[in-house]
């Protein structure tokens, strides 16, 4: 049984002060939630204090990226070791904003994955096609390339905590959600790709999240699909009440 995972990706939002205010109300709102995993991904500067404030709750912390090395001359980067010290459990990798705005390549994402796994952190690997790719009928091919490029060379044991997030680029921050059927089609294909790489049994255990304009109004329909095991939520995770509603979908 795959335990549902609902993650909030704050992107470049919220100061330390705003993070404290958010967590104060959020942890009360989700206090009774037990049958699903809740994850928050604040910006780097708020991770430590968020970890401190979430200690003793069921809410886990994610970082929005990580470098592959433990330390070194990599100005502007953050190492997995540093994240671990802040209480981080998960790391989002290969988000479409990293790929498309900051030019991260499949190879860089594979290396970051290696660093994250090496540090004992759990990767949330983001993949997804652009609108142009979808309209050209290339969605599955793009997903195949991204999954294979990121996961090649790892053993099943390396990937035991892997989470994949299917985030169609055209649905991110646009208010345009994929239909539950579109999400299911892509995500069942991703599970097939995983089965080809690491066997059917393992692929059945990997959680595949959907991301892209998830809101309280559409979460239940998305979650009703057999291969949608959770959500990666951007904009709608910035308000604690709204995000708590998504977390508590029926
Ligand atoms: P959105 O972002 O929910 O604001 O569309 C999702 C994401 O980028 O993870």
């Amino acid at each position: 049984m795959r335990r549902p995972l609902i993650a909030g990706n704050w992107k470049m939002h919220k100061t330390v002060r705003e993070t404290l205010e958010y967590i104060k109300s959020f942890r009360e709102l989700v206090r009774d939630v037990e049958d699903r995993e809740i994850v928050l991904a604040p910006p780097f500067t708020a991770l430590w204090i968020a970890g401190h404030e979430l200690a003793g709750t069921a809410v886990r912390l994610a970082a929005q990226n990580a470098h592959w090395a433990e330390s070194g001359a990599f100005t502007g980067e953050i190492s997995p070791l540093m994240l671990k010290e802040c209480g981080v459990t998960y790391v989002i990798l290969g988000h479409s904003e990293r790929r498309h705005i900051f030019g991260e390549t499949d190879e860089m994402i594979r290396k970051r994955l290696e660093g994250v796994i090496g540090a004992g952190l759990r990767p949330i690997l983001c993949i997804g096609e652009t609108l142009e790719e979808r309209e050209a009928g290339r969605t599955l091919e793009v997903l195949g390339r991204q999954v294979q490029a990121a996961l090649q060379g790892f053993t099943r044991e390396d990937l035991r905590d892997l989470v994949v997030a299917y985030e169609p680029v055209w649905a991110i921050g646009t208010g345009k959600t994929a239909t539950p059927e579109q999400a299911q089609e892509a995500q069942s294909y991703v599970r097939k790709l995983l089965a080809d790489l690491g066997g059917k049994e393992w692929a059945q255990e990997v959680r595949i999240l959907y991301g892209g304009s998830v809101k309280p109004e559409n979460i239940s329909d998305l979650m009703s699909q057999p291969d949608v095991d959770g959500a990666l939520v951007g904009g709608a995770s910035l308000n604690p009440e709204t995000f708590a509603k998504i977390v508590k979908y029926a």
Side-chain angles (χ1 to χ4, degrees):
M1 260 307 271
R2 301 186 293 268
R3 190 162 182 241
L5 190 164
I6 309 290
N9 171 16
W10 289 0
K11 310 192 179 185
M12 199 172 73
H13 293 284
K14 297 199 190 290
T15 62
V16 167
R17 187 184 300 273
E18 289 164 341
T19 300
L20 283 170
E21 280 166 20
Y22 183 108
I23 291 177
K24 218 161 82 187
S25 62
F26 185 68
R27 62 182 177 209
E28 292 310 310
L29 292 164
V30 298
R31 203 174 33 184
D32 300 328
V33 177
E34 278 174 359
D35 58 341
R36 51 202 76 174
E37 203 172 347
I38 311 168
V39 174
L40 280 180
F44 291 126
T45 47
L47 280 174
W48 188 85
I49 196 74
H52 187 265
E53 294 300 305
L54 291 170
T57 75
V59 182
R60 303 216 201 213
L61 209 54
Q64 298 175 17
N65 205 359
H67 193 262
W68 47 86
E70 239 178 46
S71 62
F74 301 105
T75 303
E77 292 283 324
I78 307 280
S79 88
L81 189 72
M82 296 167 181
L83 298 173
K84 223 173 151 177
E85 193 190 30
C86 289
V88 164
T89 302
Y90 289 95
V91 182
I92 298 170
L93 291 173
H95 189 279
S96 77
E97 284 146 20
R98 298 304 317 172
R99 293 178 191 261
H100 298 292
I101 305 174
F102 300 102
E104 288 195 15
T105 61
D106 283 329
E107 170 57 15
M108 283 166 85
I109 292 158
R110 200 199 60 77
K111 280 175 80 173
R112 291 184 192 274
L113 197 71
E114 201 173 296
V116 162
I117 290 169
L121 295 166
R122 304 178 186 176
I124 301 177
L125 171 69
C126 301
I127 55 171
E129 81 287 1
T130 62
L131 182 60
E132 200 183 8
E133 288 161 343
R134 173 162 283 264
E135 285 174 347
R138 293 182 48 223
T139 297
L140 303 186
E141 169 202 328
V142 170
L143 298 179
R145 192 205 72 224
Q146 290 174 336
V147 167
Q148 262 145 16
L151 302 185
Q152 62 168 339
F154 292 109
T155 65
R156 224 165 28 184
E157 177 59 18
D158 291 336
L159 299 175
R160 68 179 180 279
D161 294 320
L162 175 74
V163 176
V164 178
Y166 168 61
E167 299 205 305
V169 180
W170 48 271
I172 295 178
T174 57
K176 228 168 114 183
T177 319
T179 64
E181 294 71 28
Q182 282 172 324
Q184 171 58 26
E185 185 198 13
Q187 298 188 200
S188 67
Y189 181 69
V190 170
R191 201 174 305 283
K192 204 164 79 64
L193 291 167
L194 295 175
D196 292 344
L197 281 170
K200 218 169 168 178
E201 211 176 306
W202 168 72
Q204 279 304 321
E205 282 165 21
V206 177
R207 287 176 294 181
I208 306 176
L209 317 181
Y210 167 79
S213 299
V214 173
K215 313 175 211 57
E217 296 75 34
N218 58 29
I219 180 74
S220 296
D221 283 347
L222 288 160
M223 290 303 295
S224 69
Q225 299 297 319
D227 287 296
V228 178
D229 306 315
L232 184 53
V233 186
S237 74
L238 292 174
N239 175 287
E241 282 81 24
T242 310
F243 189 47
K245 273 189 201 152
I246 295 176
V247 165
K248 297 187 196 169
Y249 71 91

